[in-house]
Amino acid sequence: MLYYWWFAAAVLFFILEIVTPGFVLLWFGVGALLAGLLDLAGVHNPLIQTLVFVVVSIVLVFLSRTVFKNVFMRASPGADLKTNADAMLGRAGIVTETIDNEHSLGRVLVDGQDWAARSADGSVIEVSARVTVQSLDGAKFIVART
């Protein structure tokens, strides 16, 4: 009778889910709970119980990252919230160091923050020119003259 161990594992996963960030360990707790219930139902094969635990846990983790997120979270407040550099797309800035893609030079000031920058069309953009952030390339803004 392994159900005691499965239920103990489930409780441990549920407790760990409460005290850690993320939303993953809950699903391992559900998998352990189902494996324990399987043992109580008369399936005493540890291999089958372990297989149920692994498959259920992985499937639920996958679903929570895709289906649950797309279906249940799409209308939640802040779902479209952009953060960090992504929030700067479309913002205006001022060139603080001449942008020269050929020599990997260039900096812009956008919303009071200094960023490395490259020209979208490859042209040289002089200091004090106004630019708009078009995209990101790693930690560099790709900008165009406005």
Side-chain angles (χ1 to χ4, degrees), residues 99-114:
I99 298 173
D100 184 348
N101 293 4
E102 189 174 318
H103 294 99
S104 296
L105 296 173
R107 299 203 69 81
V108 294
L109 191 64
V110 179
D111 287 348
Q113 297 179 7
D114 183 59

Side-chain angles (χ1 to χ4, degrees), residues 72-92:
F72 298 116
M73 301 300 286
R74 92 183 125 176
S76 67
D80 297 334
L81 182 65
K82 293 183 180 178
T83 59
N84 301 330
D86 289 327
M88 300 291 192
L89 295 177
R91 301 272 179 116

Side-chain angles (χ1 to χ4, degrees), residues 31-68:
L33 184 66
L34 288 176
L37 290 173
L38 198 62
D39 190 47
L40 280 177
V43 180
H44 302 299
N45 185 331
L47 183 62
I48 292 174
Q49 294 171 11
T50 303
L51 186 63
V52 166
F53 165 72
V54 169
V55 170
V56 166
S57 299
I58 290 173
V59 166
L60 289 175
V61 166
F62 173 76
L63 289 175
S64 73
R65 296 292 181 227
T66 56
V67 176
F68 294 157

Side-chain angles (χ1 to χ4, degrees), residues 94-99 106-110 114-115 126-129:
I94 302 218
V95 177
T96 58
E97 176 185 301
T98 300
I99 298 173
R107 299 203 69 81
V108 294
L109 191 64
V110 179
D114 183 59
W115 293 87
E126 299 298 328
V127 172
S128 298

